[in-house]
Amino acid sequence: MYAYKAADEMLVVVEEWVTRAPPQAGSQQEKLNSSLRLFEAFLSEEPANTKAQERLAATHVRVAEIRRLLRQLDDAVRHYREAIRIYGELAPSDASTHSTMAALANAWDALGNTEREAERFDAARDAFEQAIALQKALAVSSGTPQDDGDLARTLYNRGLLRFEQNDIDGARQDFEQSIATSTKAIHAEPDNGSFLQGLARCRINLGVLFRNAGQNRDALAQYDAAIATLAKLAVDSPGKNEYAVELAQSHLNRGNLLLTARNEPEPVMENSLTGAQASFEAAVRVLDALKLEYPNVPQYHIQLANALNGLGGVQQESGNATEAQHSWTRARAEFLDVLRLSGDSAEVRSRLGLTLVNLALLVPRDQPQQRIPLLRE
């Protein structure tokens, strides 16, 4: 018991260190990997009793979460699968089967998200199916608000997967079911932040579906509803980073909608360009604060770079080339930080390439000595 308490406390220290300490190439990553290898060696000592096994599985999940946060996806998958194995062995004999089954379902859901991020879509789909089957059974047998909230989250995650695979009807079905299930959970617990967050993130992605279908006003309404919910959550729970992250994503989606739809026959709103700039600036403020506090989390750098790219687009469209250059130069630096923090990534390099093209196109044609290096890079 004391060994587990010490390990748990140390894991908290490692988690704080790897996300908050100023990034240092090479040496810090090696220290992090050494620390996590110590935990992994500790986890290989499997005690026999049920309580110890539950703690062991939960610790595997926490190590997986750290690995996933740092985009070490294969290592994260390995730990999630080990947690699933342990919970699966405990479930048939465990006296508190409900909590064990819920933990098992949540581990399957987390595994699905990690496999999706690694672009192993078949494995992700299978993991989500496992989670949903368990969560539906739990919702029928006990029907607690938390069971509904967990099911709503996994339906949302599967909807994201379906959307990425261009199964638009399936994605919409999952998002709508997730909204209905979240609404049921919120009716029982109106102040539950995770339920409200789940509802807001579904609205974000429904907005994307509406935008792709040309229903711009419906998309804007979904983004605005998500922003209202997440802004309140972020203020009420400042320590919950995921609220701030999704608030920034809502602003980013809203800005992209207003920027790209500004010249369509029926504008979404008057002064769309001004509205887009306000949305991108709001996203940058939120993400700047997150990156300052957690400089080692690659996803914050990626989202900040995306927001800066959008802001640069508005500034260029408004004739402010100097400001656009500043925004795109910052975006370039953020993408380079991601590559340094978490290794090579085709997705990040693709976005970095587009940023470099934007910077190159700002340079006048009669100054090829400045344009050519950016295009070569």
Side-chain angles (χ1 to χ4, degrees), residues 148-199:
D148 289 327
D150 290 344
L151 174 59
R153 184 193 63 241
T154 307
L155 286 167
Y156 160 80
N157 289 333
R158 189 178 67 178
L160 281 184
L161 175 67
R162 286 177 161 176
F163 178 70
E164 289 172 358
Q165 294 188 293
N166 206 33
D167 178 6
I168 304 304
D169 290 339
R172 180 175 293 207
Q173 182 180 11
D174 276 343
F175 292 148
E176 289 175 348
Q177 286 184 11
S178 181
I179 286 177
T181 310
S182 291
T183 302
K184 179 183 174 187
I186 291 167
H187 183 74
E189 295 183 12
D191 297 323
N192 187 305
S194 68
F195 300 163
L196 291 165
Q197 178 194 18
L199 181 61

Side-chain angles (χ1 to χ4, degrees), residues 203-221:
R203 293 196 182 284
I204 295 171
N205 285 281
L206 265 183
V208 174
L209 292 183
F210 284 135
R211 170 63 182 129
N212 290 346
Q215 299 169 255
N216 294 334
R217 293 184 185 278
D218 290 333
L220 184 64

Side-chain angles (χ1 to χ4, degrees), residues 108-122:
W108 275 117
D109 175 51
L111 174 63
N113 267 330
T114 309
E115 295 283 25
R116 180 178 64 81
E117 290 170 8
E119 298 185 356
R120 294 187 286 261
F121 298 127
D122 289 343

Side-chain angles (χ1 to χ4, degrees), residues 8-31:
D8 190 59
E9 289 174 353
M10 235 184 126
L11 197 57
V12 172
V13 172
V14 170
E15 190 170 19
E16 285 288 298
W17 175 62
V18 301
T19 58
R20 291 178 187 266
Q24 301 168 6
S27 62
Q28 188 183 46
Q29 281 296 318
E30 184 50 42
K31 287 178 184 177

